[in-house]
Amino acid sequence: MNTSTSKNPPKIVVTGRIPEGGLDLLRSAGDVWAWSGDDPAPRDVVRDQLADAKAVVTLLSDQVDDDFLDAAPNARVVANVAVGYNNVDVDACTARGVRVTNTPGVLTEATADLAIGLLLASTRRLGEGERLIRSGAEWKWGMFMMLGTGLQGRQLGIVGMGEIGTATATRARAFGMDIVYHNRSAASAEVEQRLEARRLPLDDLLAGSDVVSLHCPYTAETHHLIDADALASMKSSAYLVNTARGPIVEEAALVDALGDGAIAGAALDVYEHEPDVHPGLLDLDNVVLAPHLGSATVETRTAMAELAARNVVAVLRGDDPPTPVN
């Protein structure tokens, strides 16, 4: 624990390990209790610390619900270190006068990079190739060995044309892909012109795209947005990439679609019941699996922690936070 030099410094609870740069900013504004383990802090340990906390920095593994807020009656701000905040009951926080903040923007480039990496790993069968080499099995080059599919002239369907979706589309355009997207509102004229992107209804996007990449937020409306019917409407040669949130995809339906050849492959960084992964996915060669690495660069995670800290500092000073949710 680190105590500031203020006479009565506000207590700030950090529920999980974050980069030191974020902690340094928090220490300048209050008395910081921070969990230092790599695993999530036990809920009872966090609850004990929340009783007199004025601010709480949370991670995706935390569920900020009524029970959590009951344990933190003095909290003024919950700063979620993530672009998403589906783990936070924003309405419950608002009803109690608790500000909620997140960390958008700073993870855009890293997540878009990973989406393209997963796209390439899936369409070029890199996961299968690496597993073959590591298995020690005999192999030799052949004209038809592990043929994948090229990207040039293929259609990429972006579901959710926000900052990350746009950044992913920009990278895909450099590979020669044609861009279509589905979004509640149209992208700017500049984005559409630069990417030669067309906005489509979701059904049309799914039916015509060679790769579908998910970048929409997780809400009640997007829960199982990609279900059995959606997967059945896709081309049998198509690939699905998900770097958004796991429950957007009905995982059991995806296992069936991959196993039956309804789609050619998938690449996932997030899971419906994370950190648990549907066991059916583990047995399939035509799916690439990553352990939620979307923002996992040193630079990005540091920027996320520092932005969350700046949000806390602003609220404790009585100012508007840089990235408010409510």
Side-chain angles (χ1 to χ4, degrees), residues 59-61 63 80-88 102-103 107 111 159 164 213-219 222-226 240-251 268-274 292-295 304:
L59 306 181
L60 278 177
S61 53
Q63 288 299 316
N80 206 41
V81 187
V83 64
Y85 45 89
N86 53 285
N87 59 309
V88 179
N102 62 340
T103 59
L107 47 66
T111 306
V159 181
I164 298 172
S213 190
L214 304 179
H215 302 282
C216 51
Y218 176 58
T219 65
T222 61
H223 179 76
H224 285 183
L225 181 70
I226 306 301
L240 177 70
V241 178
N242 188 11
T243 56
R245 286 292 183 267
I248 295 171
V249 177
E250 185 180 359
E251 221 160 82
L268 309 176
D269 187 45
V270 288
Y271 304 91
E272 186 172 359
H273 302 292
E274 194 170 314
H292 205 144
L293 299 177
S295 62
M304 291 169 68

Side-chain angles (χ1 to χ4, degrees), residues 193-256:
Q193 183 176 8
R194 173 168 54 86
L195 299 178
E196 300 182 58
R198 295 178 291 121
R199 184 183 177 206
L200 295 178
L202 181 60
D203 289 347
D204 293 344
L205 180 148
L206 293 173
S209 294
D210 298 293
V211 179
V212 174
S213 190
L214 304 179
H215 302 282
C216 51
Y218 176 58
T219 65
E221 290 73 27
T222 61
H223 179 76
H224 285 183
L225 181 70
I226 306 301
D227 57 10
D229 289 340
L231 291 163
S233 73
M234 293 172 63
K235 295 179 178 181
S236 60
S237 57
Y239 295 82
L240 177 70
V241 178
N242 188 11
T243 56
R245 286 292 183 267
I248 295 171
V249 177
E250 185 180 359
E251 221 160 82
L254 177 61
V255 170
D256 290 340

Side-chain angles (χ1 to χ4, degrees), residues 6-21:
S6 301
K7 188 173 181 180
N8 294 300
K11 183 176 180 180
I12 303 168
V13 170
V14 184
T15 63
R17 185 182 175 196
I18 65 172
E20 197 65 24

